[in-house]
């Protein structure tokens, strides 16, 4: 596996006035606004939304916003000057005050509704009205869409205040969760895993909200105290924020004939998805039915590859519902997520997620989400499109096999093999689950292609017995015998480009957001730098600090080994 290098262009946008000229609003210009919405965007109370693709809504500005961080890497890729992050108008805009916007940028943003399905089962009770008409972007407000360097991007404020979908909540995000999402998105990009991106992070210390969280060294499963948190707004960026749950919402409305334009609105949102996420891959000259088949094929490819990559790097999307599944096939919504340290196939960082969204169950969750996508698009295929219908059906039936192929390809790459070996893999899983093994350190040390188990013990949390050592030694011998003939140095190099050295360790993230809550962003910036180069050998100081096992004192500590969805 190889991953794209960090491409950048010379900064050409240095002022806010230059930035606003990049605005171009395809979603608001081509899709339907909620007919019951206000024109000025003053639409922040929880209510039912019965039709339309979006609700115009303006964010709620942070009080006295303070700069925390920006992604200099992403700024460079976009051709934006890093000085923009400190520009007064830019800061105001991306901390929620978009009154400074000038044409063609608009002084109103938008929020979208979507449906909820959990593992293929449709739900409506999460909606306060019990109808599903109040579920959607409760605290995410998009404020910008434009074309930058030939690529369309949408910029969305996380924590921008309430929307009609807020379900009675305050629409805010706290600094803790905002630091996590800000760092995690750029880390995933550096890992070569498709993801939404981080642009900026601002905080208000004069505005706080109360959230349940864990007391110091708490071993409780759920939060045991209430904490006042500074409010923050992070800006996440993607080609679009269209979700499988959005397609589902319009399909549900079409099935129930919720309003006269329900089927038309489903068709519009699917065509918009193709335009936003698949335009370069789907021939626009194809008939509509054939475009839908291509869409289903491409989304399946992207989704299976994405989840295989999650397993490769140890990532667990603790709440992989259809509304957290980007229809563009990238990682979205860093809420209850985590990275596996001590290897456990059932690793689940979120206390509310259960086994269904655990580490090794993510392919199954992906299949359930793909089925909901498939089910949502299916009504747009007319019965007379017999050939397209059959291909569409086959794509749905073939998801599990396609997923298995991607996962096996990934495991072969992690092990430096040209093809997957079931017996070797089965034995490895038995050994890794019997031993407390650090997932990232083990595969990184294995990338040196050792011939003795002693070289792997850097990744073991406990002492091994002679019997276990012999089993490991036997496995190592079998593995080395299966490595392709050739230069072991080249194989090692390839494995190191697949198996990162530096991973997300929650116990190293916690001090960063704790210090940030005191106004000290030193560790946030340090983590940005370290996580920006996860495959590289870094300084000895960095290695000593970040390439090590989790201290035993932090085992089963709330907010570190597990956490609620509170954010």
């Amino acid at each position: 596996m190889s991953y794209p290098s960090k491409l950048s262009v010379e900064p050409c946008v240095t002022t806010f006035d230059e930035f606003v000229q990049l605005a171009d609003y395809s979603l608001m210009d081509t899709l339907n606004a909620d007919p019951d919405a206000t024109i000025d965007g003053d639409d922040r109370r929880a209510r039912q939304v019965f039709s339309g693709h979006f609700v115009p809504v303006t964010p709620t500005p942070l009080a006295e916003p303070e700069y925390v961080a920006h992604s200099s890497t992403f700024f460079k890729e976009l051709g934006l000057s890093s000085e923009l992050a400190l520009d007064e108008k830019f800061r105001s805009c991306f901390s929620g005050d978009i009154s400074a916007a000038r044409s063609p940028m608009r002084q109103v943003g938008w929020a979208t509704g979507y449906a909820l399905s959990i593992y293929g089962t449709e739900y409506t009770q999460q909606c306060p009205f019990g109808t599903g008409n109040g579920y959607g972007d409760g605290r995410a407000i998009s404020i910008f869409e434009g074309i930058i360097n030939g690529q369309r991007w949408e910029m969305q404020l996380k924590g921008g205040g309430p929307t009609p979908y807020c379900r009675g909540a305050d629409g805010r995000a706290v600094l803790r969760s905002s630091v996590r999402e800000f760092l995690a998105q750029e880390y995933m990009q550096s890992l070569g895993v498709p993801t939404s991106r981080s642009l900026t992070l601002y905080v208000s210390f004069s505005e706080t909200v109360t959230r349940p969280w864990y007391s110091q060294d708490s071993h409780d499963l759920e939060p045991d105290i209430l904490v006042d948190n500074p409010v923050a707004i992070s800006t996440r960026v993607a080609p679009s924020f269209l979700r499988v749950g959005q397609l589902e919402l319009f399909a549900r409305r079409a099935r129930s004939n919720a309003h006269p334009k329900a089927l038309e609105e489903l068709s519009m949102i699917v065509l918009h998805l193709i335009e936003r996420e698949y335009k370069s891959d789907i021939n626009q000259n194809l008939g509509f039915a054939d475009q839908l088949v291509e869409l289903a094929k491409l989304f399946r490819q992207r989704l299976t590859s994405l989840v295989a990559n999650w397993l490769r790097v140890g990532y667990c999307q603790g709440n992989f519902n259809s509304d957290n599944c980007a229809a563009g096939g990238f990682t979205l919504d860093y809420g209850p997520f985590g990275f596996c340290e001590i290897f456990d196939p059932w690793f689940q960082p979120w206390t509310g997620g259960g086994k269904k969204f655990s580490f090794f169950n993510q392919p199954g969750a992906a299949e359930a989400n793909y089925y909901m996508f498939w089910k949502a698009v299916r009504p747009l295929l007319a019965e007379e499109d017999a050939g397209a219908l059959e291909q569409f059906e086959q794509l749905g039936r073939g998801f599990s096999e396609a997923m298995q192929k991607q996962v096996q390809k990934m495991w072969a790459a992690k092990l430096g093999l040209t093809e997957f070996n079931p017996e070797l893999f089965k034995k490895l899983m038995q050994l890794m689950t019997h031993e407390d093994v650090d997932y990232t350190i083990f595969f990184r040390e294995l990338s040196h292609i050792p011939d003795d188990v002693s070289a792997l013990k850097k990744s073991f949390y406990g002492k091994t017995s002679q019997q276990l050592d012999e089993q490991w030694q036997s496995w190592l011998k079998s593995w080395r015998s299966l490595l392709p003939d050739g230069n072991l140095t080249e194989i090692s190099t390839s494995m190191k480009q697949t198996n990162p050295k530096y991973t997300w360790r929650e116990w190293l993230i916690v001090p960063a957001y704790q210090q940030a809550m005191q106004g000290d962003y030193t560790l946030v910036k340090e983590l940005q730098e370290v996580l920006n180069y996860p495959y590289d050998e870094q300084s000895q100081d960095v290695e000593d600090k970040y390439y090590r096992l989790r201290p035993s004192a932090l085992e089963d500590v709330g907010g570190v080994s597990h956490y609620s969805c509170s954010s």
Side-chain angles (χ1 to χ4, degrees):
M1 296 182 181
S2 60
Y3 304 100
S5 59
K6 297 181 177 69
L7 300 176
S8 62
V9 297
E10 286 299 316
C12 57
V13 178
T14 59
T15 68
F16 182 72
D17 290 337
E18 290 172 342
F19 173 78
V20 301
Q21 295 304 313
L22 302 171
D24 184 274
Y25 294 82
S26 71
L27 186 142
M28 287 205 287
D29 288 346
T30 63
L31 298 183
N32 296 342
D34 167 31
D36 296 328
T38 62
I39 296 175
D40 62 3
D42 185 14
D43 197 345
R44 303 186 186 96
R45 64 178 180 83
R47 65 176 177 86
Q48 296 195 71
V49 180
F50 298 99
S51 66
H53 298 100
F54 67 95
V55 177
V57 59
T58 52
T60 305
L62 290 182
E64 302 177 78
E66 179 177 306
Y67 167 86
V68 177
H70 75 287
S71 171
S72 58
T73 300
F74 192 39
F75 265 61
K76 287 177 183 176
E77 291 174 32
L78 295 176
L80 306 179
S81 167
S82 278
E83 295 173 3
L84 259 181
L86 299 173
D87 177 271
E88 185 177 349
K89 289 182 180 179
F90 191 90
R91 179 185 62 190
S92 293
C93 184
F94 287 97
S95 60
D97 181 4
I98 57 175
S99 63
R102 297 292 179 267
S103 181
M105 189 176 172
R106 299 171 188 174
Q107 292 185 346
V108 64
W110 66 97
T112 60
Y114 35 84
L116 170 66
S117 286
I118 301 176
Y119 236 78
T121 299
E122 296 181 358
Y123 286 82
T124 57
Q125 67 264 34
Q126 305 292 91
C127 162
F129 310 102
T131 61
N133 293 318
Y135 199 71
D137 289 331
R139 57 178 180 153
I141 302 172
S142 293
I143 63 165
F144 180 91
E145 188 192 324
I147 298 173
I148 306 176
N149 296 331
Q151 164 75 55
R152 182 175 293 280
W153 295 102
E154 182 174 330
M155 298 183 176
Q156 187 174 81
L157 305 186
K158 184 79 173 281
T163 77
Y165 304 107
C166 65
R167 292 180 278 164
D170 55 34
R172 286 307 199 192
V174 300
L175 185 58
R176 175 188 66 247
S177 63
S178 301
V179 166
R180 292 182 80 244
E181 179 158 341
F182 178 84
L183 291 172
Q185 287 178 139
E186 291 306 284
Y187 174 53
M188 288 288 266
Q189 172 69 15
S190 298
L191 286 168
V193 181
T195 179
S196 51
R197 302 293 301 275
S198 294
L199 188 73
T200 55
L201 174 57
Y202 299 100
V203 66
S204 170
F205 287 105
S206 59
E207 180 185 351
T208 61
V209 293
T210 303
R211 295 284 193 267
W213 198 238
Y214 300 89
S215 56
Q216 184 72 30
D217 300 324
S218 169
H219 291 271
D220 289 347
L221 190 64
E222 296 296 339
D224 56 344
I225 58 171
L226 292 175
V227 180
D228 290 334
N229 297 263
V231 166
I233 290 180
S234 59
T235 298
R236 58 186 181 188
V237 185
S240 84
F241 288 97
L242 297 165
R243 306 158 183 251
V244 170
Q246 265 176 285
L247 306 186
E248 273 190 83
L249 175 64
F250 294 99
R252 290 189 197 183
R253 289 175 178 171
R255 283 203 317 263
S256 64
N257 294 310
H259 59 84
K261 292 186 176 180
L263 187 63
E264 178 188 339
E265 288 196 338
L266 171 61
S267 179
M268 289 173 70
I269 194 75
V270 171
L271 281 170
H272 189 69
L273 169 64
I274 292 173
E275 174 70 21
R276 293 285 292 277
E277 297 283 1
Y278 297 92
K279 184 177 181 179
S280 61
D281 297 318
I282 294 179
N283 185 343
Q284 303 298 298
N285 295 321
L286 291 174
F288 185 45
D290 290 328
Q291 287 193 43
L292 296 182
V293 171
E294 285 300 301
L295 172 64
K297 184 187 301 179
L298 289 164
F299 179 52
R300 193 181 81 172
Q301 289 174 359
R302 292 188 189 183
L303 185 57
T304 54
S305 174
L306 175 70
V307 174
N309 266 303
W310 286 355
L311 298 179
R312 175 179 66 84
V313 300
Y315 175 81
C316 182
Q317 177 77 308
N319 190 24
F320 196 29
N321 297 333
S322 63
D323 62 302
N324 289 335
C325 184
F330 55 86
T331 316
L332 176 67
D333 227 356
Y334 292 80
F337 77 92
F339 283 79
C340 182
E341 287 193 75
I342 298 177
F343 175 68
D344 177 4
W346 310 117
F347 165 67
Q348 163 59 280
W350 180 37
T351 57
K355 281 193 174 182
K356 61 181 176 291
F357 295 127
S358 60
F359 186 33
F360 268 26
N361 271 354
Q362 292 179 112
E367 183 171 7
N369 290 337
Y370 184 79
Y371 172 69
M372 301 315 288
F373 161 87
W374 181 95
K375 183 180 176 183
V377 175
R378 173 67 178 76
L380 298 176
L381 282 163
E383 296 302 324
E384 57 264 26
D385 296 317
L389 268 173
E390 176 55 29
Q391 291 182 66
F392 198 76
E393 300 277 353
Q394 287 180 359
L395 286 165
R397 290 192 297 265
F399 185 92
S400 181
E401 182 182 356
M403 185 77 253
Q404 184 181 41
K405 285 182 178 178
Q406 286 280 11
V407 170
Q408 290 183 350
K409 178 183 175 184
M410 177 276 297
W411 284 120
K414 277 186 81 68
L415 292 168
L417 304 176
T418 53
E419 62 182 41
F420 180 73
N421 185 291
E423 286 304 312
L424 184 81
F425 177 73
K426 180 181 178 182
K427 183 60 178 176
L428 176 61
M429 291 297 101
Q430 289 173 346
L431 287 169
M432 288 183 71
T433 51
H434 192 279
E435 198 86 54
D436 277 345
V437 176
D438 190 278
Y439 186 72
T440 298
I441 296 177
F442 173 82
F443 279 104
R444 185 68 178 199
E445 293 303 309
L446 192 69
S447 299
H448 295 291
I449 313 184
D451 55 12
D452 191 275
V453 66
S454 60
L456 297 175
K457 289 190 175 181
K458 192 173 198 172
S459 67
F460 294 177
Y461 280 85
K463 293 182 178 180
T464 58
S465 65
Q466 182 179 346
Q467 183 182 11
L468 263 179
D469 281 356
E470 289 172 357
Q471 291 180 41
W472 274 112
Q473 196 63 44
S474 174
W475 182 87
L476 267 181
K477 183 178 180 181
S478 299
W479 168 66
R480 284 179 63 100
S481 71
L482 292 171
L483 291 174
D485 294 333
N487 190 325
L488 288 182
T489 302
E490 291 179 0
I491 297 171
S492 174
T493 299
S494 178
M495 288 179 68
K496 289 174 183 175
Q497 292 171 345
T498 301
N499 299 312
K501 177 160 186 171
Y502 295 101
T503 190
W504 180 280
R505 299 185 183 276
E506 197 68 34
W507 49 279
L508 290 169
I509 306 298
V510 170
Y513 66 63
Q514 287 178 336
Q515 288 186 20
M517 290 169 71
Q518 304 304 316
D520 181 355
Y521 312 127
T522 307
L523 271 179
V524 173
K525 291 175 172 56
E526 182 178 302
L527 280 162
Q528 273 187 277
E529 187 65 25
V530 172
L531 296 178
N532 221 15
Y533 302 95
Y535 299 100
D536 294 0
E537 296 295 336
Q538 300 191 39
S539 71
Q540 190 62 51
D541 286 345
V542 168
E543 180 166 337
D544 291 344
K545 183 174 181 178
Y546 291 98
Y547 190 64
R548 59 192 176 102
L549 304 177
R550 183 172 69 194
S552 58
L554 295 175
E555 190 174 342
D556 296 325
V557 172
V560 178
S561 66
H562 58 271
Y563 20 88
S564 77
C565 198
S566 171
S567 55

